């Protein structure tokens, strides 16, 4: 630590200016009056008042000059000589003051004007500022820059203890968001740090004066010898600062990371110290446009320095493969840094309010098919007003049921509950009366929010009537009608402050498992869980204010809620909500009309859109994210050939809020569900009978607080040790890409061998791509279990499946014992197959066949 010397030359300059000001005022004063004057007379003279201000400023500026100078003197003195050094300086001060006093007295005796001493002080102070700057050089410039950034940008730095000490081999790797990044880091980095500057930048005429003030080395990515020289520099113990992206971001997210930086660290056996700069991208010195993020002249800037990391590279790799692996490892470090440095210790409503303050570009942030459009301010005010009304007869922390479609009203209702500290229990109105009732029981829901218009249009009268026996039904139309002018004023006065205090780890929402394999469970997600997953998703798939998310996935679906609503809103990305993913003709047209750039869906939904869409409907779409079921190769090819859009497949479960892994524009491998999102851990447990892969367990900040079950309503069942058992059998390759083999519950043991039902379904999908197929296992007295495939393909036969499986090289055990044709395979509202209903359908068909056979025998 050392005193900030920046204020010393500043103090000297201010002393000069105030002294010059005082000299000017003194010269303008009239001659002394013949008669005596009182203090009141002096106080009424404007020139005297101004002179008093000038003298006060001179004294204050003197403090700025002398205090840090004296502190630096004490620090620079050797401990054993410090006392005599200070004493010597004091003697010099006393001697110089005596000399100055005698000179002043002599000048006055000779008739010197009163303004002259102040002119001498002014000239001497300015000259001193120049001498100090030249003497202190780089340290002074660094301190001056730090003072400027502290004052104008309220610079905040975390993790200084993670910076390397002199002689340590280290490469400091910051992200690159603005032209301020270099000067910012220069004020923060230790004295022994040098900068690697791209050759092109070093040759710019305007950069050369600044480069004279820092230690730097040129870096030419096209010249291997330049990289080798930098490796030697780091090996010598020099700390090197390199921007791995090599250019400023134009998306607000992480750009491509060059392999060269990773190779310098890897060949020099150096630590990587990741650094995250946040806020500077909102300044005029970034390449982002006003339509991408809210731009201000002096945004708050934060620099986060994370603990050192080592590149983890397979020792067997060599040459180009090793270089690429090193680059990928550094890309992962930078991605992890972006996620770890983002504040997730907030409530959802606080995150929304922060987004309004920092991300609001003035465009509508929320739209729906009804034509409703809301900007940030109106949305937050609406949530405050509605929240105050909905708080009646409920308590903070209470679960409140939400039975609404994808509309602006549903989004405002969700955030109204967040503002008032209620927990939104998002009910799946497509799950049937039994499952919805079970969900309300598990979460101890006593109040249900819905809409009369929605209940009528969706024909949910019977469902609501059934729930009315358990819950108090509140219709939003009635709540809105009761809002008075005074309520609106109170909502406006509330501003962006939530109406109830909640902690980030408190429950924010309850979602429910699909019920595809049994009774739905309530998945309790905290504010931190949902925000963490939003950060994880947007970190790997950068989005900004120029994007628009088209969300057709229902808000009762975890992907629809987190990725389709919360993630875009808290990052300033506009959202268009549409109530049904099954409107295959309407959705592509609306994607075209709204100029949406990001689309979510399942393979089933995406296939439906592709059949109806005009080739130009998706012209503005740059990213299609798919999950919930495997994406067929035919669907990928169709979107690429017809629309020129690449489908990025992901993997999530409700319990992880939900995104767990995803393919990204920077890391995509067809046939997999991508790599784990940042801040996630995974482990595989062996499963008897399965040789490749294992049962996946995950842990991270997005893993749920726990389950609510109907057997024990409202009692939280937390995951043991923070680890969640996904129940999926997966394989993870050396690069971290995950391939799902199937659900642990969806493996059948046939003749002592484990057979994946998902793999059988994949064969059926490849054989009959236009029809949905599901496999059900049944007990078999001879082989243990048997497979029955139900499909919507009217021409499907077991013989065709057997022949196709042989051509694909599939094991004989993967051939189903029976192929059953049905009019419609049971599916859930999310588009996933309903395996419980499918098993019942097979059992009913089987029972009907037995009865028919008995009747025929009679």
């Amino acid at each position: 630590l050392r005193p900030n010397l920046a204020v010393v030359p500043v103090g000297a300059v201010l002393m000069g200016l105030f002294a010059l000001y005082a000299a000017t005022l003194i010269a303008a004063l009239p001659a002394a009056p013949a008669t005596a004057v009182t203090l009141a007379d002096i106080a009424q003279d404007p020139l005297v008042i101004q002179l008093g201000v000038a003298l006060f400023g001179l004294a204050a500026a003197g403090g700025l000059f002398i205090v840090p100078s004296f502190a630096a003197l004490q620090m620079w003195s050797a401990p054993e000589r410090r006392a005599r050094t200070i004493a010597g300086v004091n003697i010099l001060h006393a001697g110089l003051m005596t000399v100055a006093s005698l000179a002043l007295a002599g000048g006055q005796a000779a008739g010197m004007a009163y303004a002259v001493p102040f002119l001498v002080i002014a000239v001497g102070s300015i000259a001193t500022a120049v001498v100090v700057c030249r003497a202190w050089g780089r340290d002074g410039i660094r301190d001056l820059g730090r003072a400027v950034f502290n004052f104008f940008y309220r610079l905040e730095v975390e993790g200084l203890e993670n910076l390397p000490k002199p002689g340590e081999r280290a490469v400091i790797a910051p992200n690159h968001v603005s032209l301020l990044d270099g000067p910012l880091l220069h004020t923060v980095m230790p004295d022994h740090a040098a900068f690697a500057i791209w050759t092109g930048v070093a040759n710019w005429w305007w950069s050369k004066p600044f480069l004279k003030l820092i230690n730097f080395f040129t870096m030419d990515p096209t010249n291997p010898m330049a990289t080798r020289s930098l490796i030697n520099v780091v090996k010598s113990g020099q700390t090197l600062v390199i921007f791995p992206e090599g250019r400023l971001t134009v998306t607000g997210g992480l750009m491509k990371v060059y392999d060269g930086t990773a190779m310098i660290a890897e060949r020099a056996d150096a630590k990587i110290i990741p650094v995250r700069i946040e806020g500077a991208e909102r300044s005029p010195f970034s390449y982002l446009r006003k339509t991408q993020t809210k731009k201000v002249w002096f945004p708050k800037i934060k620099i986060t320095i994370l603990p050192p990391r080592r590149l983890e590279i397979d020792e067997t790799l060599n040459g180009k493969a090793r270089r690429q692996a090193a680059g990928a490892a550094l890309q992962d470090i930078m991605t992890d840094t972006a996620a770890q440095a983002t504040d997730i210790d907030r409530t959802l409503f606080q995150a929304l309010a922060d987004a309004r303050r920092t991300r609001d570009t003035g465009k509508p942030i929320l739209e729906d098919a009804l034509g409703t459009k809301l900007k940030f301010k109106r949305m937050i005010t609406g949530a405050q007003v509605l929240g105050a009304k909905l708080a009646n007869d409920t308590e903070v922390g209470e679960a409140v049921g939400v039975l609404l479609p994808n509309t602006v009203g549903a989004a405002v209702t969700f955030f109204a509950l967040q503002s008032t500290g209620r927990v939104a229990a998002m009910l799946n109105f497509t799950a049937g009366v039994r499952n919805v009732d079970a969900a309300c029981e598990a979460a101890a829901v006593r109040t249900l929010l819905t809409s009369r218009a929605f209940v009528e249009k969706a024909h949910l009268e019977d469902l609501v009537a059934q729930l009315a026996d358990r819950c108090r039904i509140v219709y939003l139309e009635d709540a809105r009608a009761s809002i008075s002018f005074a309520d609106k004023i109170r909502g406006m006065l509330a501003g962006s402050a939530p109406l109830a205090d909640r902690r980030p780890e408190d429950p924010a929402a309850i979602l429910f498992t699909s019920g595809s394999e049994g009774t739905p469970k309530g998945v309790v997600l905290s504010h931190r869980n949902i925000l963490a997953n939003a950060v994880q998703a947007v970190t790997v798939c950068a989005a900004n204010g120029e994007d628009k998310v088209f969300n057709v996935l229902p808000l009762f679906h975890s992907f629809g809620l987190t990725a389709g609503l919360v993630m875009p809103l808290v990052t300033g990305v506009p959202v268009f909500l549409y109530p049904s993913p099954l409107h295959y003709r309407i959705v592509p047209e609306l994607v075209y009309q709204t100029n949406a750039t990001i689309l979510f869906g399942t393979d089933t939904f995406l296939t439906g859109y592709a059949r109806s869409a005009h080739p130009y409907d998706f012209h503005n779409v740059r990213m299609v994210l798919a999950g919930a079921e495997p994406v067929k190769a035919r669907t990928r090819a169709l979107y690429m050939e017809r629309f020129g859009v690449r489908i990025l497949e992901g993997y999530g479960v409700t319990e992880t809020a939900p995104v767990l892994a995803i393919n990204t524009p920077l890391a995509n491998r067809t046939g997999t569900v991508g790599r784990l999102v940042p801040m996630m851990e995974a482990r595989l447990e062996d499963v008897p009978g399965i040789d490749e892969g294992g049962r996946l367990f995950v842990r991270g900040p997005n893993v749920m607080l726990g389950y609510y079950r109907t057997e024990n309503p409202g009692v939280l069942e937390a995951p043991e040790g923070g680890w969640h058992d996904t129940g999926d059998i997966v394989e993870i390759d050396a690069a971290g890409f995950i391939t799902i083999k199937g659900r642990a519950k969806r493996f059948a043991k046939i003749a002592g061998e484990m057979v994946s039902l998902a793999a059988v379904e994949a064969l059926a999908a490849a054989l009959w791509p236009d029809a949905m197929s599901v496999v059900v296992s049944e007990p078999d007295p001879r082989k243990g279990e048997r497979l029955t495939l139900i499909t919507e393909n009217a021409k499907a036969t077991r013989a065709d499946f057997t022949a196709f499986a042989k051509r694909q090289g599939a094991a004989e055990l993967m051939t189903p014992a029976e192929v059953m044709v049905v009019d419609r395979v049971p599916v859930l509202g999310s588009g996933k197959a309903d395996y419980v209903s499918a098993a019942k359908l097979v059992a009913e068909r089987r029972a009907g066949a037995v009865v028919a056979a008995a009747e025929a025998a009679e």
Side-chain angles (χ1 to χ4, degrees), residues 293-552:
T293 191
K294 183 177 182 179
K295 301 296 283 286
V296 293
W297 276 102
F298 301 112
K300 177 177 173 54
I301 296 178
K302 180 179 179 181
I303 298 178
T304 306
I305 305 164
L306 276 75
R309 300 271 298 272
R310 289 280 182 180
L311 294 176
E312 298 179 3
I313 307 171
D314 186 350
E315 294 299 329
T316 63
L317 296 177
N318 293 297
K320 182 179 179 180
R322 188 172 187 84
R323 183 183 183 91
Q324 291 175 339
L330 180 56
Q331 183 94 44
D332 287 345
I333 290 176
M334 299 295 290
T335 303
D336 290 344
T337 300
Q340 292 169 16
T342 304
D343 183 13
I344 59 175
D345 289 320
R346 300 174 290 172
T347 66
L348 292 179
F349 196 83
Q350 288 170 340
L352 182 69
D354 289 342
R356 177 198 170 188
R357 180 174 52 82
T358 62
R359 307 288 180 182
D360 187 3
T361 60
K363 296 183 295 185
I365 194 67
L366 205 56
E367 302 178 49
D368 64 17
L370 300 175
T372 308
K373 295 183 179 182
L374 294 182
K375 294 184 179 181
F376 263 119
K377 181 179 180 180
R378 191 176 171 195
M379 179 189 174
I380 291 175
T381 301
Q384 296 284 50
V385 174
L386 182 61
K389 282 294 178 185
L390 297 180
N392 296 330
D393 300 321
T394 59
E395 299 177 357
V396 173
E398 179 181 336
V400 177
V402 178
L403 195 74
L404 293 169
N406 276 24
T407 61
V408 167
V412 172
T413 300
F414 177 81
F415 280 100
L417 294 175
Q418 301 309 317
S419 175
T420 56
R422 274 61 177 175
V423 182
M426 311 302 290
L427 299 174
N428 180 357
F429 45 81
T430 69
V433 174
R434 183 183 63 84
N435 281 341
V436 176
D437 187 68
C440 289
E441 180 181 358
V445 172
R446 296 188 294 109
T447 300
L448 177 67
L449 307 178
T450 188
S451 160
R452 281 196 181 88
F454 170 59
V455 170
E456 292 172 3
K457 290 181 179 179
H459 306 293
L460 298 175
E461 291 87 354
D462 292 341
L463 172 61
V464 173
Q466 177 77 19
L467 296 176
D469 295 335
R470 176 187 299 279
C471 308
R472 178 175 66 97
I473 308 298
V474 176
Y475 292 102
L476 292 183
E477 291 91 341
D478 297 340
R480 291 195 188 100
S482 67
I483 294 174
S484 64
F485 180 75
D487 293 328
K488 295 179 181 178
I489 295 298
R490 281 192 289 270
M492 294 177 63
L493 293 176
S496 298
L499 300 178
D501 290 333
R502 298 291 279 167
R503 299 173 302 169
E505 59 271 22
D506 288 334
I510 304 170
L511 300 171
F512 299 90
T513 56
S514 62
S516 62
E517 297 172 358
T519 304
K521 300 185 290 289
V523 176
V524 184
L525 299 172
S526 69
H527 298 270
R528 192 170 186 267
N529 291 152
I530 297 175
L531 280 180
N533 203 229
V535 168
Q536 290 166 323
V538 80
T539 298
V540 295
C541 295
N544 57 60
E546 286 188 346
D547 283 303
K548 179 175 284 188
V549 169
F550 193 97
N551 183 21
V552 296

Side-chain angles (χ1 to χ4, degrees), residues 95-355:
L96 289 172
M97 284 189 290
T98 301
V99 172
S101 299
L102 292 174
L104 180 60
Q108 288 180 333
M112 180 180 66
Y114 292 118
V116 172
F118 289 95
L119 287 174
V120 172
I121 293 174
V123 174
S125 297
I126 299 296
T128 301
V130 174
V131 171
V132 167
C133 287
R134 290 177 63 87
W136 288 349
R138 292 173 178 174
D139 286 342
I141 296 299
R142 177 185 286 110
D143 290 341
L144 180 60
R146 184 66 179 272
V148 169
F149 286 123
N150 284 340
F151 181 80
F152 288 103
Y153 296 96
R154 304 173 303 286
L155 178 62
E156 178 183 351
V157 182
E158 287 187 5
L160 285 172
E161 67 279 4
N162 296 320
L163 289 174
K165 295 178 174 56
E168 288 187 82
R169 296 183 180 183
V171 172
I172 297 174
N175 62 321
H176 207 0
V177 296
S178 78
L179 297 172
L180 295 174
D181 296 347
L184 274 168
L185 292 173
H186 178 59
T187 67
V188 174
M189 293 297 110
D191 297 341
H192 57 272
F195 287 77
I197 307 294
W198 299 104
T199 304
V201 175
N203 290 331
W204 291 348
W205 66 268
W206 59 264
S207 67
K208 291 181 179 180
F210 296 100
L211 293 179
K212 292 180 180 179
L213 303 174
I214 66 172
N215 295 321
F216 75 96
F217 299 91
T218 56
M219 182 176 184
D220 185 353
T222 64
N223 184 357
M225 295 304 297
T227 301
R228 185 173 299 176
S229 65
L230 288 179
I231 293 172
N232 293 330
V233 166
V234 178
K235 278 185 177 180
S236 68
Q238 173 77 66
T239 296
L240 202 59
V241 181
I242 309 177
F243 292 102
E245 297 165 273
R247 58 169 294 184
L248 270 65
T249 180
V250 294
T251 66
L254 193 67
M255 304 287 282
K256 177 181 73 172
V257 167
Y258 284 92
D259 299 343
T261 304
M263 289 307 298
I264 291 172
E266 199 265 338
R267 294 280 178 85
D269 190 27
K271 298 180 292 186
I272 294 283
I273 300 178
V275 174
R276 181 71 179 176
I277 303 172
E278 295 177 286
E281 72 278 1
R282 297 175 51 231
S283 74
F285 302 100
S286 81
Y287 286 177
L288 297 187
R289 296 177 290 274
K290 292 181 179 179
T291 53
Q292 292 177 291
T293 191
K294 183 177 182 179
K295 301 296 283 286
V296 293
W297 276 102
F298 301 112
K300 177 177 173 54
I301 296 178
K302 180 179 179 181
I303 298 178
T304 306
I305 305 164
L306 276 75
R309 300 271 298 272
R310 289 280 182 180
L311 294 176
E312 298 179 3
I313 307 171
D314 186 350
E315 294 299 329
T316 63
L317 296 177
N318 293 297
K320 182 179 179 180
R322 188 172 187 84
R323 183 183 183 91
Q324 291 175 339
L330 180 56
Q331 183 94 44
D332 287 345
I333 290 176
M334 299 295 290
T335 303
D336 290 344
T337 300
Q340 292 169 16
T342 304
D343 183 13
I344 59 175
D345 289 320
R346 300 174 290 172
T347 66
L348 292 179
F349 196 83
Q350 288 170 340
L352 182 69
D354 289 342

